[in-house]
Amino acid sequence: MKTGTALADILFLICSISFYLLIIAFGFALVTEVFTDDGKMGNFSPKFNSSHGYEMPVKFEVRPKSPMFNNILFTNYEEEIDTNGKKRYYTIPQYATPITIKDSLNFKTIISINNYGMEDNFELTSKVLRGDGYIRIKPKTAFDKVLIVLRTYMDFVILIFVFFFLKNIFKMLRIDIRFSQKLYRLIQILGVIMIVKVLLSIIINSVLGRALKEIRITPLDDALKYMDITMSSHLGFDFSFLLVGLSLIVLSALLRSGNKMQRENNLTI
């Protein structure tokens, strides 16, 4: 067996399994969405459901108040007897630089790496911690609800289509690795699907994010405030997905030219 066809066999198997698993997961999500109140069936529940909301991409920032950068090297566990005569344990973290009483009065937040007894090789120095993540929201208007449900299940459906086309592409390649009209058309359609997915996600996220300019997490008592946590919606632009889609379209054009040259060569012979 040729190495190329052997690899195509493996990829065909992986894509086939992924395709059918996604169909099962999609069917399960639809069943829990339509026929359950809390999105659960026994001990199983889907990642998203109208009962507990749908995911929305956000950028978040954590700004600690009066931060002190001091890494934890290890933690001591001490034992004591409580008022009921029972044993209880409490922890005493040992920092790279010992913390004094003056430190505890002047600093409200410790930013540290837990080294767990390892050497103190790195130190965090950022006063603002940034990242991308997701929050769950439940839209209150019918328009927003339709949009977020469409986007959520659209991602699911498009992923199923992606693996469907990949499965068919590798099914052809496991038989014979050569240029064909069907092959470049499948690759072209797959590229278009991936680009459409990125563009639709950007449009829907921009519409949904119009009312999510800033999300704050703050304590009820300002005196207990030790950090600011803010989040804001973002478009969820998947550059790698777009790049792969564009690359597949270019590849399909090359395969089309190769197929044309192959047919002309066969006619010449």
Side-chain angles (χ1 to χ4, degrees):
M1 183 180 290
K2 296 180 180 180
T3 303
T5 55
L7 181 59
D9 285 337
I10 296 172
L11 293 173
F12 170 74
L13 180 62
I14 294 173
C15 292
S16 297
I17 293 173
S18 300
F19 171 69
Y20 291 113
L21 287 178
L22 281 170
I23 289 179
I24 293 172
F26 180 61
F28 175 73
L30 287 180
V31 169
T32 56
E33 183 77 66
V34 176
F35 298 105
T36 65
D37 295 328
D38 58 359
K40 294 182 179 180
M41 293 185 68
N43 295 325
F44 300 97
S45 61
K47 186 179 180 180
F48 43 81
N49 188 272
S50 58
S51 61
H52 46 74
Y54 299 92
E55 288 186 342
M56 182 72 184
V58 294
K59 291 182 179 296
F60 65 86
E61 289 188 356
V62 179
R63 297 176 180 269
K65 296 294 184 180
S66 302
M68 175 182 184
F69 300 97
N70 197 354
N71 294 340
I72 296 177
L73 295 179
F74 58 90
T75 302
N76 284 333
Y77 295 88
E78 299 290 339
E79 177 185 310
E80 68 176 13
I81 306 298
D82 63 16
T83 55
N84 296 322
K86 295 182 179 180
K87 290 182 180 179
R88 75 178 186 93
Y89 297 89
Y90 61 95
T91 60
I92 303 178
Q94 302 297 313
Y95 292 94
T97 302
I99 297 178
T100 65
I101 296 177
K102 182 180 179 181
D103 293 331
S104 63
L105 295 175
N106 294 334
F107 298 98
K108 296 180 180 179
T109 303
I110 298 175
I111 302 178
S112 65
I113 300 174
N114 293 339
N115 292 286
Y116 297 110
M118 298 186 293
E119 294 183 2
D120 186 30
N121 294 325
F122 299 98
E123 180 182 7
L124 295 173
T125 59
S126 177
K127 293 184 179 181
V128 181
L129 309 177
R130 296 183 175 90
D132 295 333
Y134 292 89
I135 59 170
R136 286 187 176 179
I137 58 174
K138 295 178 69 173
K140 294 184 177 181
T141 65
F143 178 72
D144 287 343
K145 185 173 183 179
V146 169
L147 277 183
I148 199 167
V149 169
L150 175 63
R151 192 209 61 193
T152 301
Y153 286 98
M154 175 194 70
D155 290 348
F156 223 140
V157 172
I158 286 179
L159 199 57
I160 290 174
F161 273 109
V162 167
F163 279 102
F164 171 77
F165 281 100
L166 286 175
K167 178 174 71 73
N168 284 287
I169 289 170
F170 292 122
K171 183 179 180 180
M172 294 178 60
L173 295 177
R174 68 197 293 247
I175 299 173
D176 186 17
I177 297 181
R178 63 183 179 86
F179 298 118
S180 69
Q181 186 176 10
K182 185 177 180 180
L183 178 61
Y184 77 71
R185 284 183 176 175
L186 285 174
I187 293 176
Q188 184 182 52
I189 294 172
L190 180 58
V192 171
I193 288 174
M194 297 178 78
I195 293 172
V196 169
K197 184 264 183 189
V198 174
L199 296 178
L200 285 177
S201 294
I202 290 174
I203 293 171
I204 294 175
N205 287 340
S206 63
V207 175
L208 290 173
R210 70 193 186 282
L212 293 172
K213 299 299 183 183
E214 184 179 81
I215 306 165
R216 282 189 167 274
I217 300 177
T218 55
L220 186 62
D221 185 354
D222 288 339
L224 299 177
K225 192 171 185 179
Y226 63 96
M227 68 174 60
D228 284 333
I229 302 176
T230 59
M231 291 171 282
S232 59
S233 63
H234 71 96
L235 298 179
F237 176 64
D238 193 338
F239 178 74
S240 60
F241 218 71
L242 179 64
L243 183 61
V244 171
L246 292 172
S247 300
L248 288 175
I249 290 179
V250 174
L251 177 61
S252 69
L254 293 175
L255 291 175
R256 183 178 182 180
S257 298
N259 176 250
K260 183 179 179 180
M261 293 174 60
Q262 180 176 276
R263 286 189 284 111
E264 291 175 350
N265 185 55
N266 292 337
L267 290 174
T268 303
I269 295 174

